[in-house]
């Protein structure tokens, strides 16, 4: 699955909030089962940005070693990311990832081994425009900056001029928001330069009602997706195909879009850099993603190499 290419660094102390009702803690390293016993969790579900990836968008040698440790114990690794498949492919290739991945906040099921999408949900254009209009009305007429992710397989990120100050070469730029609706899309992203993300997210959720799903995955990016799409739905779809249940799963994340995933999993881990909303529902808070928090937990769960 992944190659172990360095000796792990020493553990960082983990901060433990109150476990969720009904959750069961996994054993300490001294109580771990022997090699002939099944692993405490058979599925390791991880977000990418802010979780598995460091700030420089790399996966550390220690984390690779910890994933390989889980693999040898009989566990499978499943990436569950907000990035569309086209955007996360390079990161999966870099770590030698094989098998299914959940992309696009649960809107896509991607077969990394065959480099093909097995499932992809689209967002109705007229509905997307209506939700944007109603969200701005909820915000007192304050205009939003917008972006869209175009439909698969292209999944191109296209933005209005003031959406970001850091334009990337692979992004598309439109002169007016009307150009955003020129082709099929999978999601809309909203931001406001002055208003806090929480207020924009609340307005979008109120404006969208049960017609869309609204989530917050990154600072300055409120996402509007097809109704019923979230990471729990995507994780559940992939886990069923792989033969795993929630109680088999340990999940790692850092932002509010990971809340459904952590609630679905048998055990949920928030990173030390996580949003307070995610920490509130987690069973455990691991070290920061730049301090190899995923590795620190996996080493304890599956035994140090």
């Amino acid at each position: 699955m992944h190659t172990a290419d360095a000796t792990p660094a020493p553990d960082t102390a983990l901060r433990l909030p109150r476990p969720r009702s009904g959750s069961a803690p996994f054993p300490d390293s001294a109580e771990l089962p022997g090699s002939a016993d099944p692993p405490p969790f058979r599925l390791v579900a991880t977000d990418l940005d802010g979780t598995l990836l460091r700030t420089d968008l790399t996966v550390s040698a220690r984390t690779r070693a910890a994933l390989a440790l889980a693999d040898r114990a009989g566990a499978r690794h499943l990436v569950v990311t907000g990035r569309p498949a086209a955007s996360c492919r390079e990161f999966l290739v870099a770590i030698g990832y094989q098998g299914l991945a959940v992309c696009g906040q649960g809107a896509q099921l991607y077969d990394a081994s065959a480099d093909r999408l097995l499932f992809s949900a689209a967002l109705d254009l007229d509905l997307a425009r209506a939700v944007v209009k109603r969200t701005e009305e909820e915000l007192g007429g304050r205009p939003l900056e917008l972006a869209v992710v175009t439909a698969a397989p292209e999944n191109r990120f296209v933005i209005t001029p003031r959406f970001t100050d850091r334009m990337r070469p692979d992004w598309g730029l439109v002169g007016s928001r009307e150009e955003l609706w020129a082709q099929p899309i999978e999601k809309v992203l909203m931001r406001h330069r002055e208003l806090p993300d929480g207020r924009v997210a609340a307005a979008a959720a109120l404006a969208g009602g049960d017609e869309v799903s609204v989530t917050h995955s990154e600072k300055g990016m409120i996402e509007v997706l097809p109704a019923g799409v979230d990471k729990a739905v995507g994780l559940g779809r992939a886990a069923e195909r792989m033969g795993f249940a929630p109680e088999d799963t340990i999940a790692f994340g850092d932002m509010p879009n990971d809340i459904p995933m952590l609630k679905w999993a048998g055990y949920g881990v928030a990173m030390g850099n996580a949003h307070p909303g995610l920490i509130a529902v987690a069973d455990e808070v691991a070290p920061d993603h730049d301090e190899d928090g995923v590795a620190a937990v996996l080493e304890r769960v599956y035994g140090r190499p």
Side-chain angles (χ1 to χ4, degrees):
M1 180 169 87
H2 303 274
T3 56
D5 49 11
T7 301
D11 272 337
T12 305
L14 305 181
R15 304 191 301 279
L16 302 175
R18 182 180 302 171
R20 290 173 295 168
S21 175
S23 66
F26 52 75
D28 292 330
S29 57
E31 302 169 336
L32 286 167
S35 59
D37 294 321
F41 297 103
R42 299 190 297 142
L43 185 63
V44 177
T46 70
D47 176 40
L48 281 180
D49 297 272
T51 302
L52 196 70
L53 299 177
R54 289 185 162 193
T55 300
D56 63 2
L57 300 183
T58 64
V59 179
S60 72
R62 181 186 179 190
T63 298
R64 290 175 185 240
L67 289 167
L69 179 68
D71 184 43
R72 289 194 297 272
R76 294 282 301 277
H77 177 208
L78 178 68
V79 163
V80 185
T81 177
R83 288 176 177 264
S87 176
C88 69
R89 184 180 296 115
E90 63 180 288
F91 303 105
L92 302 183
V93 169
I95 60 175
Y97 187 92
Q98 298 293 313
L100 298 178
V102 177
C103 304
Q105 306 291 13
Q108 297 179 335
L109 186 60
Y110 173 61
D111 184 342
S113 302
D115 188 23
R116 68 186 181 97
L117 278 172
L118 304 178
F119 173 85
S120 184
L123 180 62
D124 181 81
L125 287 170
D126 290 337
L127 175 59
R129 294 172 73 169
V131 171
V132 168
K133 182 175 182 294
R134 295 199 299 258
T135 301
E136 290 177 331
E137 291 171 353
E138 291 291 339
L139 294 172
R142 294 182 173 97
L144 294 162
E145 293 301 325
L146 304 174
V148 300
V149 173
T150 60
E154 180 189 50
N155 285 148
R156 192 175 185 214
F157 199 70
V158 182
I159 68 172
T160 53
R162 296 185 67 249
F163 185 82
T164 181
D165 297 323
R166 296 179 296 171
M167 181 72 179
R168 284 178 38 172
D170 55 327
W171 290 357
L173 177 65
V174 295
S176 72
R177 65 167 56 182
E178 285 305 308
E179 297 176 61
L180 295 174
W181 322 121
Q183 56 187 313
I185 63 173
E186 291 195 352
K187 62 182 172 182
V188 176
L189 298 96
M190 306 173 170
R191 72 171 302 191
H192 195 279
R193 288 280 181 161
E194 287 79 39
L195 297 177
D197 289 345
R199 184 171 176 187
V200 177
L206 188 61
D210 59 3
E211 295 181 277
V212 297
S213 293
V214 176
T215 193
H216 181 198
S217 62
E218 187 176 332
K219 186 179 169 104
M221 289 191 185
I222 307 304
E223 301 189 26
V224 178
L225 302 134
V229 168
D230 63 30
K231 285 194 174 186
V233 171
L235 172 55
R237 182 182 292 117
E240 183 178 12
R241 283 182 177 237
M242 299 166 73
F244 300 124
E247 58 267 24
D248 300 318
T249 308
I250 180 171
F252 297 79
D254 71 304
M255 287 294 284
N257 63 316
D258 296 312
I259 290 174
M261 175 172 72
L262 263 64
K263 285 185 173 181
W264 184 92
Y267 196 87
V269 182
M271 308 306 293
N273 49 286
H275 187 281
L278 186 71
I279 290 175
V281 304
D283 296 301
E284 176 174 331
V285 180
D288 189 281
H289 68 136
D290 283 326
E291 299 171 349
D292 301 330
V294 171
V297 174
L298 294 183
E299 288 163 1
R300 192 172 88 246
V301 176
Y302 299 103
R304 293 182 64 88

